[in-house]
Amino acid sequence: DLYREGGKQWFSAAPSKETLKHWFSLQDVLELAELGYKVYEFELENTKQISDFEIIFTRDNIVNQKEINYKEIWYD
């Protein structure tokens, strides 16, 4: 229900690059990259804080986004 609130689709994200490491290990990221997934940093409006490790947002709240190299977060 939380991810469909207000008839919208809400997406889950880490509130910072540092907290993203709590979601995925380096091995997870490498496996996801092999499947074509990428890591993005978003500038957002009107997010909802779910916990210290999660925020949710809708696509129409994206102000800016950029792809980031996983090495900025998970150091080899």
Side-chain angles (χ1 to χ4, degrees):
D1 291 338
L2 175 64
Y3 299 99
R4 298 281 186 226
E5 185 178 295
K8 296 182 177 186
Q9 185 175 5
W10 292 80
F11 296 90
S12 187
S16 69
K17 291 177 186 178
E18 184 61 33
T19 57
L20 193 57
K21 290 193 287 188
H22 293 278
W23 283 32
F24 301 103
S25 69
L26 176 58
Q27 184 63 36
D28 292 334
V29 171
L30 294 175
E31 289 174 10
L32 289 167
E34 285 182 25
L35 296 171
Y37 290 92
K38 298 177 181 180
V39 179
Y40 290 91
E41 182 174 36
F42 293 98
E43 181 183 342
L44 301 164
E45 303 177 316
N46 303 320
T47 62
K48 293 185 182 184
Q49 185 86 28
I50 303 303
S51 73
D52 289 342
F53 299 101
E54 181 183 10
I55 61 170
I56 58 174
F57 66 96
T58 60
R59 293 238 183 245
D60 59 341
N61 294 133
I62 299 172
V63 174
N64 191 23
Q65 76 179 43
K66 70 175 183 170
E67 183 179 345
I68 57 175
N69 188 315
Y70 75 89
K71 292 178 183 178
E72 289 182 38
I73 302 169
W74 296 270
Y75 308 105
D76 288 67

